[in-house]
């Protein structure tokens, strides 16, 4: 069964076609990379999946259930980290995560354990009692990721997740994502950094100007390597051809 | 540079309006303003007020008396507006990072401040042209009034700057700010004696008085220029507070969704706008006054309800800040599994609760002093049910229904309350009509919030 399925999704803002007739599906347990230049429509797709934007056309199915705009229940099973971390700057890190845990209706007995776990995972334990306004960009990103990972989600939608992370946290996150997928979780991971996607994902979807340019399996880019090429080279060629 | 800064600010306002209101909405707003101006200007009897008092011969004396007694109030208002102008925002950091001269930034903020006080300046000076005295005297009076008000305005700006940027420690800031504040207020009160003589013709040399006032203004401006330092961007050095283990996060950790939402709102208000808590405290104190001051139970009930209405009005306006925080973090709220109905009810409970809580004092204390009767039950009915329900519902409807146009929502909220009060006195059937509209709007406002898109 597909964990994520998008059928003919389109979205326009006045005269700009942000997403045009996009269809793809991601199987359960797959770590899928969404690759594309700036303005390709990656964040718009995530926002539509999270119900922040209503698609003009098409259907989104998450874990076999069609998602309708305005619905909220399905969000309990999804972890979403947006491109720019949206946080309450005048709450402390602990208070913020406690609020997210309550909002996701995590059982009360498990909240502290989960919060402590993710704070420790991202090396934020000592900073948990400080106001978020004092956090650096990287710390905000870590907190946003912690919020997304709280509540054992089945699907993770990570928009430019490794941006601003220090190398150690970035490495730990990638390791965790692999483990998460091996246990049956599904990840859609957007980035414009090709190397990250190349080394992390099982599958790649390339977006350009709001359309799916190409879908590739791991084996295909292994083929590039054997031919002495790279994903980066192939990606640039594809985008150039389209332009 | 100053022109560039002002042009950029005007462009910002223009783009803001264009972004938030389409052409039709802008035309509608313009028509509403024109109609309001027309109604204000034409026969006042139509809308229930009279301008006849302006024509009366003693108007100049009465206006001058009121003007003199309100000088300290004008100063405080100007200072409060300057505090708003000088609040640390992203713009400070941006301007601080640009190669702009100190004077250009000073002038820019002074002009923004002047823009905010312009209406008060006009109200405080133009009426000096009304009356039977000759035009030259009127002009002198006008110039003196303008000079005094401008001086107070600039002094308020300077004081606000001292308060905002003199020291990161609140105590030191107050220490630097307070002596000058006391002195300015004292001078503004003491100068009324001199100004009364000037306006009444006691001093026959208007030139001298005009020069005196202008000189005072020049001195203040000079002082401001010499001491003004747009230092290190003046952005707020964020309070570095460590709250490990002690803070309210333990409450949130154990709460359900609505409890967590209410706690979050209370925390944000405490850290970003603690004036709301101060207002609440004043409400608690003032609501005790009628119990002590009035001998009859009916008077206590009536005064307490009046106090409740006034403070509820102030409180819900202050609580509108919560919706502004929601605008900043809408993406987060919408990506969480929180139903808009729950968000609506949590905000409603917080508002209604803060309106009801202080009224428990008269409810418990009045029976000690007065006997229980039907009036007391009616008082409880109004204080605990009617007033909180009406105010909280209207607040939530305006906030959620107009989201993310919170300022617009605030205007609608206040107009609705005003109309409800007017209807109550002049057209009683209008109040239930508005209540019915309000109840219909609950679901509508929730749906509006639920189906809001975030581009």
């Amino acid at each position: 069964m597909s964990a994520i399925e998008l059928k003919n999704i389109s979205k326009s803002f006045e005269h700009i076609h942000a997403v045009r007739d996009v269809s793809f599906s991601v199987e359960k347990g797959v770590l899928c990379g969404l690759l594309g230049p700036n303005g390709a429509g990656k964040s718009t797709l995530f926002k539509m999946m999270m119900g922040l934007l209503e698609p003009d056309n098409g259907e989104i199915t998450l874990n076999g259930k069609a998602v309708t705009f305005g619905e909220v229940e399905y969000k309990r099973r999804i972890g979403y980290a947006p491109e720019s971390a949206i946080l309450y700057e005048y709450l402390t890190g602990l208070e913020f995560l406690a609020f997210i845990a309550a909002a996701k209706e995590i059982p009360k007995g498990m909240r502290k354990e989960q919060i402590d776990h993710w704070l420790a995972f991202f090396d934020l334990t000592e900073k948990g009692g400080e106001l978020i306004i004092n956090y650096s960009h990287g710390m905000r990103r870590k907190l946003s990721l912690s919020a997304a990972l709280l509540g054992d989600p089945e699907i993770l939608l990570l928009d430019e997740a490794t941006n601003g992370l220090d190398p150690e946290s970035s490495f730990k996150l990638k390791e965790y994502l692999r483990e998460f997928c091996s246990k049956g979780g599904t990840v859609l991971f957007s980035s414009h950094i090709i190397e990250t996607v190349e080394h992390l994902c099982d599958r790649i979807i390339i977006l350009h100007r709001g359309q799916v340019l190409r879908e590739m399996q791991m084996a295909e880019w292994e083929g590039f390597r054997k031919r002495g090429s790279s994903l980066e080279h192939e990606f640039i060629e594809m985008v150039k051809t389209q332009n | 540079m100053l022109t560039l800064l002002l042009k950029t600010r005007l462009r910002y306002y223009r783009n803001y309006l264009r972004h938030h209101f389409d052409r039709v909405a802008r035309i509608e707003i313009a028509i509403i303003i024109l109609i309001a101006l027309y109604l204000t200007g034409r026969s006042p009897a139509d809308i229930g007020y009279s301008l006849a008092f302006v024509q009366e011969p003693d108007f100049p004396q009465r206006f001058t008396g009121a003007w003199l007694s309100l000088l300290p109030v004008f100063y405080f208002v100007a200072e409060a507006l300057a505090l708003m102008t000088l609040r640390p925002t992203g713009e400070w950091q941006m301007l601080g990072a640009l190669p702009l001269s100190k004077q250009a930034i000073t002038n820019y903020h002074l002009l923004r401040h002047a823009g905010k006080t312009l209406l008060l300046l006009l109200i405080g000076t133009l009426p000096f042209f009304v009356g039977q005295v000759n035009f030259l005297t009127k002009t002198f009076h006008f110039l003196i009034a303008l000079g005094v008000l401008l001086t107070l305005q600039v002094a308020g700006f300077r004081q606000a700057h001292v308060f905002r940027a003199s020291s990161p420690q609140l105590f030191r800031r107050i220490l630097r700010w307070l002596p000058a504040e006391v002195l300015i207020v004292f001078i503004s009160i003491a100068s009324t004696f001199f100004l009364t003589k000037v306006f009444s013709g006691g001093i026959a040399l208007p030139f001298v008085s005009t020069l005196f006032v202008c000189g005072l203004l020049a001195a203040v401006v000079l002082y401001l220029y010499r001491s003004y330092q747009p230092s290190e961007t003046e952005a707020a050095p964020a309070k570095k507070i460590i709250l490990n283990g002690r803070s309210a996060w333990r409450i949130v950790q154990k709460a359900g969704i609505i409890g967590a939402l209410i706690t979050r709102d209370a925390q944000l208000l405490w850290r970003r706008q603690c004036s709301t808590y101060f207002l609440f405290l004043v409400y608690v104190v003032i609501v005790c006054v009628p119990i002590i001051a009035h001998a009859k139970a009916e008077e206590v009930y009536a005064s307490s309800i009046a106090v409740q209405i006034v403070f509820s009005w102030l409180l819900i306006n202050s609580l509108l800040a919560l919706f502004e925080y929601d605008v900043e973090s809408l993406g987060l709220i919408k990506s969480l599994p929180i139903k808009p109905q729950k968000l609506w009810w949590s905000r409603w409970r917080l508002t209604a609760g803060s309106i009801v809580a202080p009224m428990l004092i008269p409810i418990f204390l009045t029976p000690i002093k007065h006997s229980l009767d039907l009036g007391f039950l009616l008082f409880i009915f109004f204080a605990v049910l009617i007033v909180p329900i009406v105010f909280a519902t209207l607040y939530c409807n305006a906030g959620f229904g107009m989201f993310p146009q919170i300022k617009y929502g605030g205007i609608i909220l206040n107009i609705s309350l005003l109309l409800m009060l007017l209807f109550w006195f002049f057209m009683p059937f209008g109040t239930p009509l508005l209540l019915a509209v309000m109840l219909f709007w609950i679901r509508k406002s929730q749906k509006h919030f639920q189906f809001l898109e975030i581009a």
Side-chain angles (χ1 to χ4, degrees):
Chain A
M1 185 181 78
S2 296
I4 302 170
E5 193 170 1
L6 272 69
K7 280 183 195 163
N8 311 108
I9 296 292
S10 299
K11 181 71 189 174
S12 303
F13 299 105
E14 292 183 4
H15 305 297
I16 303 159
H17 296 289
V19 173
R20 282 186 284 189
D21 203 27
V22 166
S23 299
F24 66 80
S25 60
V26 182
E27 302 302 310
K28 223 174 174 182
V30 169
L31 208 162
C32 180
L34 203 56
L35 198 63
N38 295 334
K42 304 187 292 288
S43 297
T44 308
L45 269 185
F46 279 119
K47 283 180 181 173
M48 284 192 280
M49 281 188 257
M50 282 313 293
L52 307 182
L53 286 172
E54 186 178 15
D56 296 338
N57 295 306
E59 190 183 65
I60 297 169
T61 310
L62 297 174
N63 273 343
K65 195 173 176 296
V67 169
T68 52
F69 185 64
E71 192 187 346
V72 295
E73 280 304 317
Y74 77 96
K75 293 175 189 175
R76 220 182 296 283
R77 303 187 308 274
I78 318 284
Y80 169 58
E83 188 181 6
S84 316
I86 309 165
L87 308 162
Y88 292 116
E89 293 191 327
Y90 287 85
L91 292 189
T92 67
L94 278 173
E95 286 166 354
F96 177 73
L97 290 183
F99 168 70
I100 298 290
K104 287 189 173 182
E105 292 188 285
I106 297 172
K108 287 170 192 172
M110 290 167 66
R111 288 182 195 172
K112 188 175 181 335
E113 187 192 328
Q114 286 208 17
I115 290 167
D116 286 345
H117 169 75
W118 288 114
L119 285 176
F121 184 89
F122 285 112
D123 207 14
L124 284 175
T125 308
E126 283 182 17
K127 298 281 179 183
E130 276 189 38
L131 289 184
I132 295 170
I133 196 163
N134 294 319
Y135 281 24
S136 67
H137 174 68
M139 283 158 69
R140 283 167 190 241
R141 164 62 61 183
K142 287 176 183 179
L143 198 66
S144 173
L145 283 165
S146 303
L149 293 164
L150 270 178
D152 301 320
E154 294 163 16
I155 296 173
L156 284 174
L157 303 176
L158 306 179
D159 198 358
E160 311 278 359
T162 51
N163 280 8
L165 287 188
D166 55 68
E168 191 193 340
S169 300
S170 178
F171 177 77
K172 277 167 80 176
L173 177 69
K174 287 176 203 166
E175 287 296 302
Y176 171 78
L177 293 180
R178 284 194 192 100
E179 193 191 324
F180 175 78
C181 290
S182 69
K183 288 178 182 167
T186 310
V187 180
L188 190 59
F189 181 97
S190 91
S191 182
H192 56 263
I193 302 167
I194 297 167
E195 281 171 6
T196 309
V197 175
E198 192 172 12
H199 291 114
L200 183 68
C201 302
D202 308 316
R203 199 175 144 217
I204 294 175
I205 294 164
I206 298 175
L207 273 184
H208 183 53
R209 291 183 178 169
Q211 287 179 306
V212 175
L213 204 61
R214 192 160 170 186
E215 290 182 55
M216 284 190 288
Q217 297 293 332
M218 182 83 160
E220 278 187 73
W221 80 70
E222 284 298 328
F224 295 147
R225 280 196 195 137
K226 281 176 190 165
R227 290 202 305 270
S229 183
S230 67
L231 180 61
E232 190 174 22
H233 178 76
E234 292 295 325
F235 173 74
I236 291 166
E237 283 302 313
M238 269 184 249
V239 172
K240 260 188 194 170
T241 316
Q242 280 295 312
N243 286 342
Chain B
M1 272 308 166
L2 179 64
T3 324
L4 174 72
L5 286 170
L6 287 174
K7 271 186 182 171
T8 312
R9 169 75 33 186
L10 289 174
R11 269 190 212 115
Y12 171 81
Y13 288 138
R14 184 198 62 191
N15 293 346
Y16 179 89
L17 287 174
R18 280 185 184 171
H19 177 72
H20 287 95
F21 304 105
D22 60 11
R23 187 186 291 257
V24 177
R26 289 201 297 271
I27 291 170
E28 282 169 358
I29 291 167
I31 290 171
I32 290 168
I33 292 171
L34 285 175
I35 291 172
L37 285 175
Y38 170 72
L39 285 173
T40 313
R42 60 166 280 152
S43 170
D46 288 355
I47 49 174
Y49 74 95
S50 169
L51 284 175
F53 66 93
V54 176
Q55 312 282 329
E56 288 170 14
D58 65 337
F59 173 75
Q61 283 78 27
R62 277 167 50 203
F63 178 76
T64 308
W67 187 87
L68 287 168
S69 61
L70 286 173
L71 276 183
V73 177
F74 174 81
Y75 169 71
F76 285 129
V77 173
E79 192 181 20
L81 291 171
L83 277 168
M84 278 169 63
T85 306
L86 295 172
R87 71 185 183 280
T89 58
E91 192 187 19
W92 279 102
Q93 300 210 21
M94 196 181 69
L95 294 180
L98 291 172
L100 295 172
S101 70
K102 193 172 81 174
Q103 280 79 5
I105 296 179
T106 310
N107 287 335
Y108 170 62
H109 289 302
L110 254 176
L111 282 170
R112 280 181 61 211
H113 175 55
K116 282 180 184 154
T117 47
L118 183 67
L119 187 66
L120 285 175
L121 279 176
L122 293 176
I123 294 170
T125 51
L126 289 180
F128 280 102
F129 279 113
V130 179
Q132 305 297 320
V133 285
N134 66 60
F135 184 74
L136 195 65
T137 312
K138 282 179 193 173
T139 310
F140 281 134
H141 287 177
F142 167 77
L143 284 176
I144 292 164
L146 187 66
V148 171
L149 293 186
L150 281 174
T151 309
L152 287 176
Q153 185 199 49
V154 177
F157 182 82
R158 166 67 197 157
Q159 279 295 91
H161 176 256
V162 168
F163 194 81
R164 281 281 188 215
S166 61
S167 167
Q169 287 170 315
L170 183 66
F171 179 70
R172 286 192 180 174
R173 267 190 281 167
I174 291 174
L175 218 61
R176 281 199 63 187
W177 166 83
L178 196 61
E181 187 75 0
V182 173
L183 191 69
I184 292 166
V185 174
F186 175 75
I187 291 174
S188 69
I189 295 168
S191 63
T192 52
F193 175 72
F194 168 75
L195 288 167
T196 311
K197 282 206 158 192
V198 171
F199 285 126
S200 63
I203 293 175
L205 296 169
F207 273 121
V208 176
S209 53
T210 310
L211 280 176
F212 166 76
V213 171
C214 292
L216 199 63
L217 177 67
V220 173
V221 173
L222 190 70
Y223 171 61
L224 184 84
Y225 265 73
R226 288 182 60 162
S227 58
Y228 186 85
Q229 294 290 332
S231 56
E232 287 90 46
T233 71
E234 315 212 7
K239 278 189 282 182
K240 196 156 185 162
I241 51 168
I242 308 287
L243 299 157
N244 273 335
R246 287 187 294 112
S247 82
W249 88 280
R250 285 174 190 272
I251 304 167
V252 179
Q253 203 197 344
K254 289 170 187 162
I257 287 189
I258 290 186
L261 287 166
I262 292 174
T263 316
R264 174 205 64 162
D265 287 348
Q267 287 168 330
L268 290 177
L269 271 180
W270 178 249
R271 289 177 197 153
R272 293 188 69 172
Q273 191 174 292
C274 63
S275 59
T276 310
Y277 282 86
F278 182 72
L279 183 67
F280 183 77
L281 200 69
V282 175
Y283 177 21
V284 170
V285 172
I286 303 248
V287 90
C288 296
V289 174
I291 310 168
I292 305 158
H294 292 297
K296 288 182 183 171
E298 290 75 25
E299 288 171 350
V300 175
Y301 302 149
S303 302
S304 299
I305 292 288
V307 168
Q308 189 188 25
I309 288 174
V310 170
F311 276 90
S312 304
W313 202 322
L314 295 172
L315 261 177
I316 57 170
N317 274 287
S318 183
L319 287 171
L320 277 174
L322 289 172
F323 285 107
E324 281 168 14
Y325 308 153
D326 282 342
V327 174
E328 291 168 16
S329 57
L330 187 60
L332 174 74
I333 285 289
K334 296 278 280 181
S335 65
L336 289 171
I338 301 172
K339 286 183 179 164
Q341 290 87 337
K342 288 198 172 169
L343 202 60
W344 199 97
W345 280 115
S346 78
R347 198 58 56 81
W348 189 91
R349 284 188 199 185
L350 177 75
T351 316
S354 56
I355 292 171
V356 168
M359 294 306 284
L360 297 177
I361 302 169
I363 286 172
F364 284 113
L365 291 185
T366 318
I368 299 170
K369 202 175 167 185
H370 307 282
S371 58
L372 294 177
D373 55 6
L374 188 68
F376 181 67
L377 292 177
L378 212 62
F379 169 60
I380 293 180
F381 178 68
F382 268 90
V384 178
L385 286 174
I386 298 295
V387 178
I389 287 174
V390 168
F391 275 83
T393 310
L394 201 57
Y395 163 78
C396 288
N397 277 352
F400 285 101
M402 299 308 296
F403 203 89
Q405 319 284 354
I406 304 306
K407 284 184 182 161
Y408 198 43
I411 294 169
I412 298 232
L413 169 73
N414 287 306
I415 289 175
S416 306
L417 279 169
L418 192 72
L419 286 176
M420 283 178 93
L421 276 180
L422 288 177
F423 279 155
W424 180 265
F425 291 110
F426 298 109
M427 205 169 73
F429 67 86
T431 307
L433 202 72
L434 273 173
L435 278 174
V437 173
M438 199 168 78
L439 291 173
F440 170 73
W441 255 73
I442 293 175
R443 188 79 193 109
K444 202 170 159 53
S445 69
Q446 289 172 353
K447 282 206 160 181
H448 169 77
F449 190 80
Q450 184 175 1
F451 295 106
L452 202 67
E453 283 193 291
I454 308 164

